[in-house]
Amino acid sequence: EDPSKWSLSAVDGSLQIIASDASLDGPNLPPNILLRDAPAGDFEITTSLRFTPTSNFQFAGLIVFQDNGNVLQFGRAFCDLANTCIGDGVYLDNVENGSFVGSNYQTPFSGTIIYLRLQRAGNTYSGYYSEDGEQWIKTGEHVRDFSQVRVGLIAAQAPTEIPAVFDYFTQTAASTATTRADVICRAAADDSSVVSATIKSETTIPVHGISMDNHWLNLQDPEKPEESCWIPVDPDSFDIKAIHTSFTCNDPLGCVRVGPDDPFHFGFWGVLSGADSSLGQDAQRGVELAIDDIGGKLYDHDIQLTPLDALCTQQGGAAAAGQLANDNTIVALIGSSCSAETVGGIATLTEAGLTTISPSNTRPALTEENRGPEYAGFLRTAPNDALQGRIVAEFVYNVLGVRRAATIHDESGYSTALQQVFADRFTQMGGQVVAQEPISSGDTNMRPVLTRVASHEPELIYYPVFVAAGGYVTAQVREIPGLESVKLIASDGVFAPDLLAAAGSAAQGMFISSPDFSRFPPSYGALVDKYVAKYGNPPSAYHAHAYDAANMIFSALEKVAVMESDGTIHIPRLSLRNTLYATKDFSGVTGTLTCSPTGDCGVAVVAVYEVTNPDPATWNPHDPANPNPKRIYP
């Protein structure tokens, strides 16, 4: 009510409100209530809250506010009044004319983070909570005939001050459809599913989305407002003109509008030029195949894919991100290729409301729990290098029997972090890391660094770099006295025929870690066949992860995209991002994908391969009869 009384601070990109004394049924209104106008009609407000109340009557959560004496509050609180409360829990309080009225729907809760959702349907206000933001539990509902309301956040009723940290606040108003004939609404987007409700002509009802095939509209079930149902809008089975829709964007990050004749616009960013371009090119092709497999269209709109070269550098990532962020037609992104590109560009993309899924960023720090808020727009389908480094170390120690190893890394975060994961695990197992030598990714003469490495007499050199540097290291290592027979192993950054072209005969017998294609589902084989048929050569490392990233986005759009009767599509940006993060048990060609709260969605399968022929023309790790490189571990 009075901005001068707010006690707020930023906490890791979140909002902290101090719960202080005063109650909604007391003589003074609590000072820390943040309010905004609510939309007309039905709406939903949500938040994520970190709050641990310990004494009467500390409260924090969502609020619907008409005036000082007429309020609904829904959130986490502590209350130990006999026959009224259950201590630490979730409460939905109804304040009428200054008094608490009706049930508070007390529900025990003791987790660290709680997700809250308060919905209005007509004059019914329903509270839902979740421990993970995916599975929601309804606690109860109150019927209130408010004349005009505002909505927001509250932290109050605390004789002893206590902080409440809100990670976000969203307010959405349902888009609506008005029927112009009686329609049957089914439980699923299927002609054979059970009838959920019959919607009468001239009924206006909230719209939640449209099916991927553009044939079914998802509506709020008029008989069960907390659920939804589907009506057909295929011209052959139902007159689409009988439905009139309208849309108002209330997404905090804004909405992408796809006009009736506009394409769905996606971006790909990654390394597409230079010696390392095979990494980005392979992933871009995976996206193109995903587009082919849905007929090149979404909701009868063509798909436009814009690729941008991010150069596998932090500066290149920043430049590409700046260009993408300035294009408000882009729905979502696949990329980047190299972790350094993401470090350079992710803050710009996240601030612009864009979300990107990387098929090949494997640096552990990108999805660590303490990553910065700028990574809110980042997810990946690639495996985490915390696994890859460990697999390499265990192969080197247990299979090759090596006890003295050296590493070479470039200045990229990917390379530096991966060799350190290897070194830590190798040392833990009993091995000795005799040298950890840095190079520049632009170096071409590796003899000085190799000479330094040779002075430590390693049995093996591990160099998780990219194709250009990897080619020079491999080609020159045998020239150095003492390294004539040293074992060599690299990682997924060089898993491409370009390495063999750069290294020549010295690549014979070297080892490379990469995703374990043999453990992908059977559907992966069909993707390889399509890849070879379209591009004329076998794929490299991360085409399948890019294919899955694109299909994750397509699937999420089915849940959040809203179509108007003229064919215009609206995509709420935060809803799309939240839906991607909520991905669970997604059936991909790399396996079954479930995303962690920090965007790790990849299936953790890594293998070690051996180069059996240094001729790049023989590259085909997928050849069942004569694979090159050949999978040898595990």
Side-chain angles (χ1 to χ4, degrees), residues 289 293 517-531 539 543-545 547-548 551 586-593 603 622:
L289 290 172
D293 280 355
F517 309 111
S518 70
R519 295 166 66 186
F520 288 177
S523 57
Y524 173 64
L527 179 65
V528 173
D529 292 342
K530 293 173 186 175
Y531 189 110
H543 52 286
H545 298 81
Y547 181 91
D548 280 350
N551 279 307
F586 181 82
S587 180
V589 295
T590 61
T592 301
L593 286 74
V603 180
H622 310 286

Side-chain angles (χ1 to χ4, degrees), residues 564-581:
E564 294 192 66
S565 53
D566 67 352
T568 298
I569 304 287
H570 300 273
I571 302 98
R573 291 188 184 276
L574 182 59
S575 293
L576 176 61
R577 179 181 295 173
N578 289 343
T579 300
L580 287 169
Y581 269 94

Side-chain angles (χ1 to χ4, degrees), residues 43-126:
F43 62 77
E44 174 181 288
I45 55 176
T46 63
T47 192
S48 170
L49 171 65
R50 286 174 279 167
F51 180 66
T52 307
T54 57
S55 64
N56 288 335
F57 294 97
Q58 298 164 343
F59 182 96
L62 298 168
I63 185 169
V64 178
F65 184 93
Q66 175 179 291
D67 54 50
N68 290 12
N70 292 281
V71 177
L72 287 173
Q73 62 177 7
F74 177 56
R76 188 171 177 185
F78 188 94
C79 173
D80 61 6
L81 297 179
N83 303 318
T84 303
C85 305
I86 40 81
D88 187 3
V90 186
Y91 296 85
L92 175 58
D93 294 323
N94 176 35
V95 179
E96 294 187 30
N97 300 318
S99 299
F100 284 86
V101 176
S103 174
N104 60 17
Y105 298 102
Q106 50 187 288
T107 305
F109 187 86
S110 59
T112 304
I113 300 176
I114 187 169
Y115 298 84
L116 301 170
R117 173 186 293 167
L118 190 59
Q119 293 179 338
R120 179 172 78 181
N123 63 352
T124 301
Y125 293 81
S126 303

